[in-house]
Amino acid sequence: MKQAGIATVANHESAVDDGIDAGVDFARAALIALDWGTTSLRAYLFDGHGRVLATRASAAGIMNLPRSAAEGGFDAVFDDVCGAWLERAHGVPVIAAGMVGSAQGWLEAPYVETPANADALVAGIVRVTAANGATLHIVPGVLQRGELPNVMRGEETQIVGALSEDADAAHDAANDAAHAASSTCSLIGLPGTHAKWAVVQAGRIERFHTFMTGEVFAALREHTILGRTMTTPDRPDTEAFLRGVNVAREKGQAGMLATVFSTRTLGLTGELPGEAQPDYLSGLLIGHELAGLEAVLVLQQSSLAHQSPRLIGNEALCERYRLALAQFGCLQAQLVKHATERGLWRVAAEAGLVNPSARARSAG
Amino acid sequence: MKQAGIATVANHESAVDDGIDAGVDFARAALIALDWGTTSLRAYLFDGHGRVLATRASAAGIMNLPRSAAEGGFDAVFDDVCGAWLERAHGVPVIAAGMVGSAQGWLEAPYVETPANADALVAGIVRVTAANGATLHIVPGVLQRGELPNVMRGEETQIVGALSEDADAAHDAANDAAHAASSTCSLIGLPGTHAKWAVVQAGRIERFHTFMTGEVFAALREHTILGRTMTTPDRPDTEAFLRGVNVAREKGQAGMLATVFSTRTLGLTGELPGEAQPDYLSGLLIGHELAGLEAVLVLQQSSLAHQSPRLIGNEALCERYRLALAQFGCLQAQLVKHATERGLWRVAAEAGLVNPSARARSAG
């Protein structure tokens, strides 16, 4: 569910694409970590200090296996992506997060319930032995019960990665102020196909929302009348995007089912050319997402303007969210880089798969 | 745009299906009227008193022509549907409303702007001569300018049909009370692919909203993860539908992009079986539509609870809307039958195509 939430590891792109591990000192390998989602898989090889030695990427998400699970599809992908590493770093522990732990994954890791911290995730780890003898430790997702239940798989590990900055800061400073800061509520946003917004406190995921923003955008563009007049712009049209955000933010509008139709009617009246329509629609949907989040915050005596959210995910998409958040008076949003690999390292450390005293240093 | 808004004329169904006009007294024929939309076409043969003598139906909407417009596609369909009537009732006038007057239709009838009454529609009629010599009078759609423009084509004629009841009542009673009633604001809803809600006053369409409810439902069901766990129920699940309506009505929810995801998560937690999920999602979307309409009404110092809306369209769908409206305290919603043919007759009468003193009597 976080196809768009995979952090880019720019320094390793050539190694990823070519699958070449030239120059990697396998004697230092301490952990293989997998971010295995619906449509893709990314693998990280860590040293004992939490530094990334090499990465691999594959399009073999759990819905894209080369053959079925019953026919060994998971084993085949795992061997393809990590087999060479395991041969040269035999016995290195393996951790995995994401949809690989869903009911449609390799082995189901039942959800742990909110409030959930890293300890709870560790307690929920399930183990599966691959055909090549390696044991995968699969991190569970998180479930929030209630009238409108919510689920995440993969994002919980990214959130732990973002929070590991706090833990590091608290550890380094070891003073009361830092501990106090980490015990207040804060907001973490994970834009994407199914965007998540989580409220975290003292290292725990307290509650969260899911917004189907990315998937609804694709469905509206590809499968409704709105797509018929759209053309693809040469570059993102920020003005059209912000126009959409501000329409969604207005109190006088009649809701998303009504505002989206203006993508078409502004075209019919000559006020929005076809190449501006995709960004306008994107702005409308992200604006409605943030307006919905704002409504929930206001009920809790808060507001986006009083928050300093952290954003995890694709950098260009996070930048769009930063611009949209500013329209809501939220000027302190910050991108957290390398949250995925930091989170995988942190959970592995908490689980005792690597030396827990070696704190994550993978981020630049 | 009103594929789901075509009224059923039960008494004539056999004639429609078979294309048999047995028993029709063509000497009494006074008007052929076409409701020609995107995906279908319905034709009515009226006598001089506005009574429907016969009907024909075709799937040849303007996006379903047997051959292109340039190759005479419109002429071919018109001849197929109405040719036999015209041979036996030569020279009878022909009127048409709907997407046939759009830029993609037979001849574009430019929109008239709000506020718009029947006189304005008549003034905007365009004429096209068919290959068989008949002249089609095409009724224009209505445009509302503004930050979020709105358009309708076909619904304006149905609204005129619904309002013709008021005109009849005023004419029959000829008293001040009836005139006063027709000069207050009232609400007309047209559920469907692109649902419309119009505010009418003194026979004029003052303003209106479009909600892409039907099309978004289809896109979510067929092209997102929500459809994967859905099954088709044997009969509508009213309980699941109302559950969805009430979730959308709640102040504490985070908006439509968030609530729709509960269709899936309630399934994951065993609280909503697959066969209840389509009606739940339908309830969510119709609930969000009505919540959006309510927000606009509240800004205008009104509310759904103080309205007695008239509903035009498919009877089963209008009944769902009536149930949903009741959740908003709106208990006076009423279905208007035969609005399409009444509206076509009324516009034709106002245009002088038929004797304007003969008022519509098509409804039973």
Side-chain angles (χ1 to χ4, degrees), chain A residues 267-312:
Chain A
L268 287 173
T269 56
E271 297 166 80
L272 191 73
E275 65 268 23
Q277 292 173 19
D279 283 304
Y280 176 75
L281 181 62
S282 166
L284 280 176
L285 296 196
I286 291 174
H288 280 293
E289 174 186 327
L290 296 181
L293 181 62
E294 175 78 338
V296 171
L297 289 173
V298 166
L299 280 180
Q300 296 160 0
Q301 274 79 46
S302 182
S303 79
L304 283 169
H306 295 107
Q307 296 282 338
S308 303
R310 280 175 278 198
L311 297 174
I312 299 172

mmCIF file of all heavy atoms in Angstrom, chain A residues 267-312:
data_model
loop_
_atom_site.group_PDB
_atom_site.id
_atom_site.type_symbol
_atom_site.label_atom_id
_atom_site.label_comp_id
_atom_site.label_asym_id
_atom_site.label_seq_id
_atom_site.Cartn_x
_atom_site.Cartn_y
_atom_site.Cartn_z
ATOM 1 N N GLY A 267 -12.737 23.662 -18.121
ATOM 2 C CA GLY A 267 -12.266 23.425 -19.481
ATOM 3 C C GLY A 267 -13.294 23.866 -20.510
ATOM 4 O O GLY A 267 -12.965 24.549 -21.486
ATOM 5 N N LEU A 268 -14.569 23.520 -20.261
ATOM 6 C CA LEU A 268 -15.641 23.880 -21.198
ATOM 7 C C LEU A 268 -15.768 25.391 -21.354
ATOM 8 O O LEU A 268 -16.090 25.882 -22.433
ATOM 9 C CB LEU A 268 -16.992 23.324 -20.707
ATOM 10 C CG LEU A 268 -17.220 21.820 -20.824
ATOM 11 C CD1 LEU A 268 -18.519 21.430 -20.130
ATOM 12 C CD2 LEU A 268 -17.263 21.401 -22.289
ATOM 13 N N THR A 269 -15.520 26.139 -20.273
ATOM 14 C CA THR A 269 -15.660 27.599 -20.330
ATOM 15 C C THR A 269 -14.347 28.283 -20.698
ATOM 16 O O THR A 269 -14.247 29.509 -20.630
ATOM 17 C CB THR A 269 -16.163 28.154 -18.980
ATOM 18 O OG1 THR A 269 -15.262 27.737 -17.943
ATOM 19 C CG2 THR A 269 -17.552 27.661 -18.660
ATOM 20 N N GLY A 270 -13.340 27.497 -21.066
ATOM 21 C CA GLY A 270 -12.086 28.077 -21.530
ATOM 22 C C GLY A 270 -11.212 28.646 -20.426
ATOM 23 O O GLY A 270 -10.276 29.406 -20.688
ATOM 24 N N GLU A 271 -11.470 28.257 -19.170
ATOM 25 C CA GLU A 271 -10.713 28.824 -18.049
ATOM 26 C C GLU A 271 -9.603 27.908 -17.548
ATOM 27 O O GLU A 271 -8.857 28.285 -16.634
ATOM 28 C CB GLU A 271 -11.666 29.154 -16.893
ATOM 29 C CG GLU A 271 -12.700 30.220 -17.243
ATOM 30 C CD GLU A 271 -13.830 30.284 -16.220
ATOM 31 O OE1 GLU A 271 -13.621 30.899 -15.174
ATOM 32 O OE2 GLU A 271 -14.912 29.698 -16.471
ATOM 33 N N LEU A 272 -9.517 26.684 -18.090
ATOM 34 C CA LEU A 272 -8.493 25.746 -17.615
ATOM 35 C C LEU A 272 -8.102 24.840 -18.783
ATOM 36 O O LEU A 272 -8.834 23.911 -19.117
ATOM 37 C CB LEU A 272 -9.040 24.909 -16.449
ATOM 38 C CG LEU A 272 -8.033 24.072 -15.665
ATOM 39 C CD1 LEU A 272 -7.152 24.973 -14.780
ATOM 40 C CD2 LEU A 272 -8.762 23.050 -14.782
ATOM 41 N N PRO A 273 -6.948 25.097 -19.407
ATOM 42 C CA PRO A 273 -6.563 24.275 -20.563
ATOM 43 C C PRO A 273 -6.311 22.823 -20.159
ATOM 44 O O PRO A 273 -6.038 22.518 -18.990
ATOM 45 C CB PRO A 273 -5.277 24.945 -21.060
ATOM 46 C CG PRO A 273 -4.791 25.799 -19.938
ATOM 47 C CD PRO A 273 -5.978 26.151 -19.097
ATOM 48 N N GLY A 274 -6.396 21.945 -21.137
ATOM 49 C CA GLY A 274 -6.251 20.513 -20.888
ATOM 50 C C GLY A 274 -4.979 20.151 -20.150
ATOM 51 O O GLY A 274 -4.985 19.270 -19.282
ATOM 52 N N GLU A 275 -3.870 20.847 -20.459
ATOM 53 C CA GLU A 275 -2.602 20.482 -19.818
ATOM 54 C C GLU A 275 -2.514 20.959 -18.371
ATOM 55 O O GLU A 275 -1.641 20.516 -17.624
ATOM 56 C CB GLU A 275 -1.399 20.983 -20.635
ATOM 57 C CG GLU A 275 -1.261 22.497 -20.729
ATOM 58 C CD GLU A 275 -1.955 23.075 -21.963
ATOM 59 O OE1 GLU A 275 -2.882 22.421 -22.485
ATOM 60 O OE2 GLU A 275 -1.578 24.183 -22.384
ATOM 61 N N ALA A 276 -3.441 21.850 -17.947
ATOM 62 C CA ALA A 276 -3.479 22.281 -16.538
ATOM 63 C C ALA A 276 -4.425 21.416 -15.705
ATOM 64 O O ALA A 276 -4.403 21.481 -14.474
ATOM 65 C CB ALA A 276 -3.911 23.743 -16.447
ATOM 66 N N GLN A 277 -5.250 20.624 -16.394
ATOM 67 C CA GLN A 277 -6.292 19.884 -15.671
ATOM 68 C C GLN A 277 -5.763 18.778 -14.749
ATOM 69 O O GLN A 277 -6.297 18.599 -13.654
ATOM 70 C CB GLN A 277 -7.338 19.352 -16.662
ATOM 71 C CG GLN A 277 -8.140 20.497 -17.295
ATOM 72 C CD GLN A 277 -9.078 20.056 -18.401
ATOM 73 O OE1 GLN A 277 -9.430 18.883 -18.511
ATOM 74 N NE2 GLN A 277 -9.483 20.993 -19.249
ATOM 75 N N PRO A 278 -4.707 18.032 -15.135
ATOM 76 C CA PRO A 278 -4.214 17.012 -14.193
ATOM 77 C C PRO A 278 -3.721 17.621 -12.872
ATOM 78 O O PRO A 278 -4.037 17.107 -11.796
ATOM 79 C CB PRO A 278 -3.060 16.343 -14.958
ATOM 80 C CG PRO A 278 -3.357 16.597 -16.400
ATOM 81 C CD PRO A 278 -4.029 17.938 -16.446
ATOM 82 N N ASP A 279 -2.973 18.726 -12.946
ATOM 83 C CA ASP A 279 -2.458 19.330 -11.714
ATOM 84 C C ASP A 279 -3.583 19.968 -10.900
ATOM 85 O O ASP A 279 -3.551 19.949 -9.668
ATOM 86 C CB ASP A 279 -1.367 20.357 -12.030
ATOM 87 C CG ASP A 279 -0.050 19.675 -12.360
ATOM 88 O OD1 ASP A 279 0.420 18.892 -11.527
ATOM 89 O OD2 ASP A 279 0.485 19.909 -13.455
ATOM 90 N N TYR A 280 -4.581 20.532 -11.602
ATOM 91 C CA TYR A 280 -5.731 21.097 -10.887
ATOM 92 C C TYR A 280 -6.467 20.000 -10.116
ATOM 93 O O TYR A 280 -6.764 20.141 -8.925
ATOM 94 C CB TYR A 280 -6.666 21.784 -11.883
ATOM 95 C CG TYR A 280 -7.944 22.317 -11.292
ATOM 96 C CD1 TYR A 280 -7.943 23.472 -10.515
ATOM 97 C CD2 TYR A 280 -9.156 21.666 -11.507
ATOM 98 C CE1 TYR A 280 -9.123 23.967 -9.965
ATOM 99 C CE2 TYR A 280 -10.332 22.155 -10.964
ATOM 100 C CZ TYR A 280 -10.314 23.300 -10.194
ATOM 101 O OH TYR A 280 -11.482 23.785 -9.652
ATOM 102 N N LEU A 281 -6.713 18.869 -10.783
ATOM 103 C CA LEU A 281 -7.409 17.752 -10.124
ATOM 104 C C LEU A 281 -6.572 17.211 -8.964
ATOM 105 O O LEU A 281 -7.109 16.899 -7.895
ATOM 106 C CB LEU A 281 -7.714 16.640 -11.140
ATOM 107 C CG LEU A 281 -8.452 15.430 -10.578
ATOM 108 C CD1 LEU A 281 -9.827 15.805 -10.023
ATOM 109 C CD2 LEU A 281 -8.611 14.342 -11.647
ATOM 110 N N SER A 282 -5.269 17.112 -9.172
ATOM 111 C CA SER A 282 -4.376 16.655 -8.093
ATOM 112 C C SER A 282 -4.474 17.612 -6.898
ATOM 113 O O SER A 282 -4.555 17.171 -5.741
ATOM 114 C CB SER A 282 -2.946 16.576 -8.630
ATOM 115 O OG SER A 282 -2.020 16.456 -7.577
ATOM 116 N N GLY A 283 -4.478 18.912 -7.174
ATOM 117 C CA GLY A 283 -4.609 19.904 -6.105
ATOM 118 C C GLY A 283 -5.941 19.789 -5.377
ATOM 119 O O GLY A 283 -6.001 19.872 -4.149
ATOM 120 N N LEU A 284 -7.015 19.568 -6.142
ATOM 121 C CA LEU A 284 -8.330 19.374 -5.519
ATOM 122 C C LEU A 284 -8.290 18.209 -4.540
ATOM 123 O O LEU A 284 -8.721 18.319 -3.396
ATOM 124 C CB LEU A 284 -9.394 19.070 -6.586
ATOM 125 C CG LEU A 284 -9.988 20.221 -7.387
ATOM 126 C CD1 LEU A 284 -10.947 19.674 -8.438
ATOM 127 C CD2 LEU A 284 -10.717 21.199 -6.470
ATOM 128 N N LEU A 285 -7.741 17.064 -4.992
ATOM 129 C CA LEU A 285 -7.794 15.861 -4.145
ATOM 130 C C LEU A 285 -6.891 16.013 -2.927
ATOM 131 O O LEU A 285 -7.287 15.682 -1.805
ATOM 132 C CB LEU A 285 -7.421 14.614 -4.951
ATOM 133 C CG LEU A 285 -8.358 14.245 -6.102
ATOM 134 C CD1 LEU A 285 -8.102 12.819 -6.556
ATOM 135 C CD2 LEU A 285 -9.821 14.396 -5.732
ATOM 136 N N ILE A 286 -5.675 16.509 -3.111
ATOM 137 C CA ILE A 286 -4.780 16.709 -1.963
ATOM 138 C C ILE A 286 -5.381 17.768 -1.037
ATOM 139 O O ILE A 286 -5.322 17.639 0.192
ATOM 140 C CB ILE A 286 -3.355 17.059 -2.450
ATOM 141 C CG1 ILE A 286 -2.730 15.824 -3.112
ATOM 142 C CG2 ILE A 286 -2.488 17.549 -1.288
ATOM 143 C CD1 ILE A 286 -1.368 16.067 -3.762
ATOM 144 N N GLY A 287 -6.020 18.783 -1.617
ATOM 145 C CA GLY A 287 -6.700 19.789 -0.801
ATOM 146 C C GLY A 287 -7.833 19.183 0.020
ATOM 147 O O GLY A 287 -7.992 19.495 1.204
ATOM 148 N N HIS A 288 -8.619 18.299 -0.588
ATOM 149 C CA HIS A 288 -9.698 17.642 0.169
ATOM 150 C C HIS A 288 -9.122 16.722 1.251
ATOM 151 O O HIS A 288 -9.687 16.611 2.341
ATOM 152 C CB HIS A 288 -10.621 16.870 -0.771
ATOM 153 C CG HIS A 288 -11.629 17.739 -1.470
ATOM 154 N ND1 HIS A 288 -12.645 18.381 -0.806
ATOM 155 C CD2 HIS A 288 -11.754 18.095 -2.772
ATOM 156 C CE1 HIS A 288 -13.372 19.081 -1.673
ATOM 157 N NE2 HIS A 288 -12.849 18.925 -2.872
ATOM 158 N N GLU A 289 -8.016 16.048 0.944
ATOM 159 C CA GLU A 289 -7.362 15.215 1.961
ATOM 160 C C GLU A 289 -6.977 16.075 3.167
ATOM 161 O O GLU A 289 -7.299 15.748 4.321
ATOM 162 C CB GLU A 289 -6.111 14.550 1.359
ATOM 163 C CG GLU A 289 -5.281 13.780 2.376
ATOM 164 C CD GLU A 289 -3.967 13.259 1.786
ATOM 165 O OE1 GLU A 289 -3.947 12.933 0.584
ATOM 166 O OE2 GLU A 289 -2.979 13.172 2.532
ATOM 167 N N LEU A 290 -6.309 17.190 2.913
ATOM 168 C CA LEU A 290 -5.838 18.036 4.012
ATOM 169 C C LEU A 290 -7.006 18.724 4.724
ATOM 170 O O LEU A 290 -6.965 18.909 5.944
ATOM 171 C CB LEU A 290 -4.829 19.065 3.486
ATOM 172 C CG LEU A 290 -3.535 18.465 2.918
ATOM 173 C CD1 LEU A 290 -2.603 19.570 2.440
ATOM 174 C CD2 LEU A 290 -2.833 17.575 3.947
ATOM 175 N N ALA A 291 -8.065 19.070 3.979
ATOM 176 C CA ALA A 291 -9.249 19.657 4.626
ATOM 177 C C ALA A 291 -9.898 18.635 5.561
ATOM 178 O O ALA A 291 -10.378 18.987 6.646
ATOM 179 C CB ALA A 291 -10.246 20.141 3.573
ATOM 180 N N GLY A 292 -9.904 17.358 5.150
ATOM 181 C CA GLY A 292 -10.448 16.303 6.010
ATOM 182 C C GLY A 292 -9.598 16.121 7.257
ATOM 183 O O GLY A 292 -10.117 15.970 8.371
ATOM 184 N N LEU A 293 -8.284 16.139 7.070
ATOM 185 C CA LEU A 293 -7.368 16.029 8.206
ATOM 186 C C LEU A 293 -7.550 17.215 9.148
ATOM 187 O O LEU A 293 -7.599 17.058 10.379
ATOM 188 C CB LEU A 293 -5.931 15.971 7.672
ATOM 189 C CG LEU A 293 -4.811 15.843 8.683
ATOM 190 C CD1 LEU A 293 -4.917 14.545 9.466
ATOM 191 C CD2 LEU A 293 -3.451 15.933 7.970
ATOM 192 N N GLU A 294 -7.671 18.405 8.573
ATOM 193 C CA GLU A 294 -7.868 19.620 9.369
ATOM 194 C C GLU A 294 -9.157 19.526 10.199
ATOM 195 O O GLU A 294 -9.163 19.896 11.383
ATOM 196 C CB GLU A 294 -7.921 20.840 8.432
ATOM 197 C CG GLU A 294 -8.234 22.158 9.098
ATOM 198 C CD GLU A 294 -7.052 22.772 9.833
ATOM 199 O OE1 GLU A 294 -6.119 22.030 10.188
ATOM 200 O OE2 GLU A 294 -7.073 23.996 10.049
ATOM 201 N N ALA A 295 -10.222 19.004 9.600
ATOM 202 C CA ALA A 295 -11.499 18.885 10.324
ATOM 203 C C ALA A 295 -11.335 17.997 11.554
ATOM 204 O O ALA A 295 -11.871 18.286 12.627
ATOM 205 C CB ALA A 295 -12.584 18.332 9.396
ATOM 206 N N VAL A 296 -10.582 16.902 11.408
ATOM 207 C CA VAL A 296 -10.339 16.005 12.540
ATOM 208 C C VAL A 296 -9.489 16.705 13.599
ATOM 209 O O VAL A 296 -9.757 16.611 14.804
ATOM 210 C CB VAL A 296 -9.647 14.715 12.046
ATOM 211 C CG1 VAL A 296 -9.195 13.866 13.225
ATOM 212 C CG2 VAL A 296 -10.585 13.926 11.141
ATOM 213 N N LEU A 297 -8.457 17.437 13.171
ATOM 214 C CA LEU A 297 -7.579 18.139 14.117
ATOM 215 C C LEU A 297 -8.360 19.201 14.890
ATOM 216 O O LEU A 297 -8.167 19.373 16.097
ATOM 217 C CB LEU A 297 -6.404 18.788 13.372
ATOM 218 C CG LEU A 297 -5.354 17.827 12.807
ATOM 219 C CD1 LEU A 297 -4.349 18.579 11.939
ATOM 220 C CD2 LEU A 297 -4.630 17.079 13.924
ATOM 221 N N VAL A 298 -9.250 19.904 14.187
ATOM 222 C CA VAL A 298 -10.021 20.968 14.846
ATOM 223 C C VAL A 298 -10.902 20.376 15.944
ATOM 224 O O VAL A 298 -11.034 20.951 17.024
ATOM 225 C CB VAL A 298 -10.847 21.755 13.799
ATOM 226 C CG1 VAL A 298 -11.913 22.616 14.463
ATOM 227 C CG2 VAL A 298 -9.922 22.618 12.943
ATOM 228 N N LEU A 299 -11.473 19.202 15.669
ATOM 229 C CA LEU A 299 -12.280 18.530 16.705
ATOM 230 C C LEU A 299 -11.432 18.185 17.928
ATOM 231 O O LEU A 299 -11.954 18.034 19.032
ATOM 232 C CB LEU A 299 -12.908 17.250 16.148
ATOM 233 C CG LEU A 299 -14.158 17.414 15.299
ATOM 234 C CD1 LEU A 299 -14.648 16.059 14.822
ATOM 235 C CD2 LEU A 299 -15.265 18.122 16.071
ATOM 236 N N GLN A 300 -10.123 18.046 17.703
ATOM 237 C CA GLN A 300 -9.203 17.724 18.810
ATOM 238 C C GLN A 300 -8.497 18.986 19.314
ATOM 239 O O GLN A 300 -7.406 18.902 19.890
ATOM 240 C CB GLN A 300 -8.183 16.684 18.339
ATOM 241 C CG GLN A 300 -8.821 15.345 17.984
ATOM 242 C CD GLN A 300 -7.941 14.489 17.082
ATOM 243 O OE1 GLN A 300 -6.843 14.880 16.705
ATOM 244 N NE2 GLN A 300 -8.429 13.313 16.747
ATOM 245 N N GLN A 301 -9.121 20.144 19.082
ATOM 246 C CA GLN A 301 -8.580 21.430 19.552
ATOM 247 C C GLN A 301 -7.180 21.698 18.999
ATOM 248 O O GLN A 301 -6.316 22.236 19.688
ATOM 249 C CB GLN A 301 -8.571 21.507 21.088
ATOM 250 C CG GLN A 301 -9.875 21.999 21.702
ATOM 251 C CD GLN A 301 -10.929 20.916 21.751
ATOM 252 O OE1 GLN A 301 -10.633 19.808 22.153
ATOM 253 N NE2 GLN A 301 -12.139 21.239 21.318
ATOM 254 N N SER A 302 -6.933 21.273 17.762
ATOM 255 C CA SER A 302 -5.662 21.592 17.134
ATOM 256 C C SER A 302 -5.948 22.090 15.724
ATOM 257 O O SER A 302 -7.098 22.358 15.373
ATOM 258 C CB SER A 302 -4.758 20.355 17.113
ATOM 259 O OG SER A 302 -3.507 20.690 16.547
ATOM 260 N N SER A 303 -4.917 22.255 14.938
ATOM 261 C CA SER A 303 -5.105 22.602 13.529
ATOM 262 C C SER A 303 -3.781 22.388 12.811
ATOM 263 O O SER A 303 -2.718 22.303 13.454
ATOM 264 C CB SER A 303 -5.561 24.051 13.371
ATOM 265 O OG SER A 303 -4.454 24.914 13.509
ATOM 266 N N LEU A 304 -3.844 22.299 11.483
ATOM 267 C CA LEU A 304 -2.610 22.117 10.711
ATOM 268 C C LEU A 304 -1.647 23.279 10.950
ATOM 269 O O LEU A 304 -0.426 23.086 10.955
ATOM 270 C CB LEU A 304 -2.944 21.986 9.221
ATOM 271 C CG LEU A 304 -3.492 20.624 8.793
ATOM 272 C CD1 LEU A 304 -4.039 20.683 7.369
ATOM 273 C CD2 LEU A 304 -2.401 19.554 8.896
ATOM 274 N N ALA A 305 -2.182 24.476 11.160
ATOM 275 C CA ALA A 305 -1.313 25.640 11.351
ATOM 276 C C ALA A 305 -0.461 25.509 12.617
ATOM 277 O O ALA A 305 0.576 26.167 12.736
ATOM 278 C CB ALA A 305 -2.156 26.913 11.404
ATOM 279 N N HIS A 306 -0.893 24.673 13.555
ATOM 280 C CA HIS A 306 -0.130 24.485 14.791
ATOM 281 C C HIS A 306 0.749 23.243 14.755
ATOM 282 O O HIS A 306 1.291 22.829 15.787
ATOM 283 C CB HIS A 306 -1.083 24.410 15.985
ATOM 284 C CG HIS A 306 -1.817 25.690 16.230
ATOM 285 N ND1 HIS A 306 -3.156 25.848 15.942
ATOM 286 C CD2 HIS A 306 -1.377 26.883 16.678
ATOM 287 C CE1 HIS A 306 -3.508 27.098 16.235
ATOM 288 N NE2 HIS A 306 -2.456 27.742 16.672
ATOM 289 N N GLN A 307 0.857 22.613 13.617
ATOM 290 C CA GLN A 307 1.611 21.375 13.512
ATOM 291 C C GLN A 307 2.906 21.574 12.727
ATOM 292 O O GLN A 307 2.991 22.481 11.891
ATOM 293 C CB GLN A 307 0.776 20.300 12.796
ATOM 294 C CG GLN A 307 -0.475 19.884 13.546
ATOM 295 C CD GLN A 307 -0.178 18.936 14.693
ATOM 296 O OE1 GLN A 307 0.859 18.275 14.706
ATOM 297 N NE2 GLN A 307 -1.080 18.881 15.664
ATOM 298 N N SER A 308 3.872 20.716 12.988
ATOM 299 C CA SER A 308 5.112 20.671 12.208
ATOM 300 C C SER A 308 5.260 19.251 11.682
ATOM 301 O O SER A 308 6.061 18.467 12.166
ATOM 302 C CB SER A 308 6.318 21.022 13.089
ATOM 303 O OG SER A 308 6.140 22.283 13.673
ATOM 304 N N PRO A 309 4.445 18.912 10.695
ATOM 305 C CA PRO A 309 4.411 17.508 10.261
ATOM 306 C C PRO A 309 5.717 17.078 9.599
ATOM 307 O O PRO A 309 6.399 17.887 8.963
ATOM 308 C CB PRO A 309 3.271 17.456 9.241
ATOM 309 C CG PRO A 309 2.775 18.833 9.055
ATOM 310 C CD PRO A 309 3.545 19.759 9.901
ATOM 311 N N ARG A 310 6.016 15.799 9.752
ATOM 312 C CA ARG A 310 7.104 15.203 8.989
ATOM 313 C C ARG A 310 6.492 14.442 7.818
ATOM 314 O O ARG A 310 5.459 13.785 7.985
ATOM 315 C CB ARG A 310 7.916 14.260 9.889
ATOM 316 C CG ARG A 310 8.881 15.046 10.765
ATOM 317 C CD ARG A 310 9.604 14.174 11.738
ATOM 318 N NE ARG A 310 8.764 13.922 12.902
ATOM 319 C CZ ARG A 310 9.226 13.484 14.064
ATOM 320 N NH1 ARG A 310 10.518 13.237 14.212
ATOM 321 N NH2 ARG A 310 8.422 13.281 15.080
ATOM 322 N N LEU A 311 7.094 14.541 6.668
ATOM 323 C CA LEU A 311 6.598 13.880 5.459
ATOM 324 C C LEU A 311 7.572 12.800 5.033
ATOM 325 O O LEU A 311 8.788 13.021 4.995
ATOM 326 C CB LEU A 311 6.428 14.898 4.332
ATOM 327 C CG LEU A 311 5.395 16.001 4.576
ATOM 328 C CD1 LEU A 311 5.430 17.032 3.444
ATOM 329 C CD2 LEU A 311 3.986 15.404 4.689
ATOM 330 N N ILE A 312 7.036 11.649 4.694
ATOM 331 C CA ILE A 312 7.841 10.508 4.254
ATOM 332 C C ILE A 312 7.359 10.098 2.878
ATOM 333 O O ILE A 312 6.160 9.906 2.685
ATOM 334 C CB ILE A 312 7.679 9.312 5.221
ATOM 335 C CG1 ILE A 312 8.148 9.690 6.626
ATOM 336 C CG2 ILE A 312 8.430 8.092 4.702
ATOM 337 C CD1 ILE A 312 7.837 8.620 7.673
#
